[in-house]
Amino acid sequence: MAGGGGDMEATRDAGRRGRVERVALPAGMVLVQVFTVVTMLMSKLALNAGMHPLVLLVYRNVIAVAAVAPLALIFERDLWKKLNLAVLGWIFINATFGVLLAMGLYYCGLRATNAAYAVDFLNLIPVATFLIAVALRAERLSLACWPGRTKLLGAAAGVAGTMVVSLCKGTHLLLPHLRVSHSHGAKPVTSVHGGQNMVVGTLFLVSSCVSYALWFVVQPRVALVFPSRYWTTTLTCIAGSVQSAIAAAVVVALTGSGAGSLGLTSEAWRLRWDMQLATVVYSGVFNTGVTFVLVSWAVARRGPVYPPMFNSLSLVATTVVDALLLGTDLYLGGVLGAALVVLGLYAFLWGKGKELAAAKARELDRPTGNDDDCIA
């Protein structure tokens, strides 16, 4: 009887944890998107003011280390003893994909384009992650069941919506512009038209999306060899900051330290009390430190494709805010494409939720109560 009571209590605890996760996980991912939108707009202003992407990357990760390291020392004090060469190797790979390449290339693309255009490419990350994860068998896809089909349709809708936003303009929507003044020598916001900068910026953004996808796929492996949120985030940010500093040194070595150094002069490393410092602090604490912790938790609980599926929310928010504050033109095609992207997100999440419910039912050896979940 005692054993049966203990099992029932464990089942109730598991049920409570499951209910909390069903709310906390999507809420955490929405919070990540809020951080992303604010960081993107602040970063665009800082980059327009002349801040170099690698400088922003180095300082951002240093701030993230300062924010997360105390949590690692308090809550995961003994986990550092599990560090070994294999763990450090995976953390180095994690930092390469997630910091140096993903963030660095994205900043370069953002500097060459604008926030409303750059955010479109965040919605290619779920599709790239989905395809890579399926190819590497990190994500299960069964087209014999409706959840699997819905996931695939949702991913396709996300791609279609992003293409509509990028390629179809339609009617120009007149919105009141509350332009932020471009102080400290900032350049006006780049409009999305043709030109060499747009081509180069697009290549940077596409490369960033692939790097982000690989970063999400690497996350489960990192969690397997080193099951820590705070230490993993801290060490990844340290490695990313060092890698970015080395990349900056390579740029200076190849181009010189003068006017031809692509903006990486000694003056570029000097921070003042302005938008650049605010961007470094905010992005370091929230969009790196807190975001890395939340994303690693979500990947451990729902798989590598789950977090990037929420990127579509940042598309809607950034497009509107960029149009209102930075004066970027907004078109009907962008609104319709954004709606298609959001529908794709909900379709994918529905399919993922059904798969999780079916997997849990199999573990408990009971039916799901819905025979339509797996119709061939």
Side-chain angles (χ1 to χ4, degrees):
M1 291 293 292
D7 292 340
M8 291 179 62
E9 184 64 28
T11 302
R12 283 195 293 268
D13 289 342
R16 283 194 293 268
R17 286 195 297 270
R19 287 191 294 271
V20 171
E21 279 192 357
R22 279 196 294 271
V23 176
L25 278 171
M29 294 303 96
V30 170
L31 192 61
V32 166
Q33 297 309 313
V34 173
F35 296 153
T36 299
V37 170
V38 176
T39 297
M40 188 179 306
L41 295 171
M42 294 178 68
S43 299
K44 179 58 180 174
L45 292 174
L47 293 170
N48 280 357
M51 193 172 198
H52 194 279
L54 289 174
V55 174
L56 178 54
L57 208 55
V58 171
Y59 285 143
R60 166 179 173 165
N61 283 277
V62 168
I63 295 296
V65 171
V68 180
L71 299 177
L73 294 172
I74 295 172
F75 297 109
E76 298 175 345
R77 187 177 306 172
D78 297 330
L79 280 179
W80 69 271
K81 298 176 183 178
K82 297 183 179 180
L83 285 174
N84 53 47
L85 288 178
V87 171
L88 292 176
W90 278 107
I91 287 176
F92 182 86
I93 295 173
N94 195 38
T96 301
F97 286 130
V99 177
L100 179 62
L101 295 179
M103 293 183 190
L105 291 172
Y106 194 82
Y107 276 149
C108 291
L110 178 62
R111 183 172 65 168
T113 60
N114 63 52
Y117 182 77
V119 75
D120 295 342
F121 290 84
L122 291 181
N123 296 283
L124 296 180
I125 297 175
V127 181
T129 306
F130 183 65
L131 295 176
I132 294 174
V134 169
L136 297 178
R137 298 184 179 181
E139 178 78 15
R140 179 176 169 270
L141 176 64
S142 176
L143 295 180
C145 299
W146 274 113
R149 297 171 186 171
T150 307
K151 283 169 56 179
L152 186 59
L153 288 174
V159 174
T162 303
M163 297 300 292
V164 169
V165 171
S166 303
L167 301 177
C168 301
K169 287 187 176 182
T171 305
H172 181 212
L173 302 179
L174 298 177
L175 295 175
H177 289 172
L178 307 175
R179 289 177 182 263
V180 177
S181 61
H182 304 289
S183 58
H184 303 287
K187 301 173 184 178
V189 178
T190 307
S191 59
V192 183
H193 296 292
Q196 184 176 3
N197 284 345
M198 290 301 300
V199 173
V200 174
T202 300
L203 292 176
F204 279 137
L205 292 170
V206 171
S207 301
S208 171
C209 290
V210 175
S211 300
Y212 267 120
L214 291 170
W215 177 63
F216 280 116
V217 173
V218 165
Q219 290 292 302
R221 182 63 183 178
V222 175
L224 182 65
V225 299
F226 191 53
S228 160
R229 293 194 194 108
Y230 302 120
W231 274 117
T232 298
T233 299
T234 300
L235 294 173
T236 297
C237 292
I238 291 174
S241 185
V242 171
Q243 290 174 359
S244 302
I246 293 174
V250 171
V251 169
V252 171
L254 292 177
T255 61
S257 58
S261 61
L262 300 179
L264 271 173
T265 61
S266 58
E267 183 67 20
W269 294 92
R270 190 172 302 167
L271 292 177
R272 299 177 180 84
W273 293 96
D274 55 11
M275 178 58 70
Q276 296 185 16
L277 179 60
T279 301
V280 165
V281 174
Y282 182 90
S283 63
V285 174
F286 295 105
N287 201 230
T288 300
V290 178
T291 292
F292 275 25
V293 172
L294 291 174
V295 166
S296 64
W297 173 50
V299 168
R301 302 303 300 169
R302 292 292 187 267
V305 182
Y306 185 84
M309 286 306 299
F310 286 82
N311 286 356
S312 58
L313 300 179
S314 63
L315 167 65
V316 179
T318 305
T319 300
V320 173
V321 175
D322 196 33
L324 290 175
L325 296 184
L326 302 184
T328 302
D329 291 335
L330 184 63
Y331 295 90
L332 181 61
V335 175
L336 296 178
L340 188 58
V341 166
V342 173
L343 288 176
L345 164 67
Y346 285 112
F348 180 91
L349 292 179
W350 181 88
K352 186 68 175 178
K354 290 294 183 181
E355 286 186 346
L356 291 171
K360 187 175 181 180
R362 284 194 297 270
E363 290 178 2
L364 298 176
D365 195 23
R366 60 176 175 80
T368 61
N370 190 347
D371 295 333
D372 294 334
D373 287 351
C374 194
I375 300 175

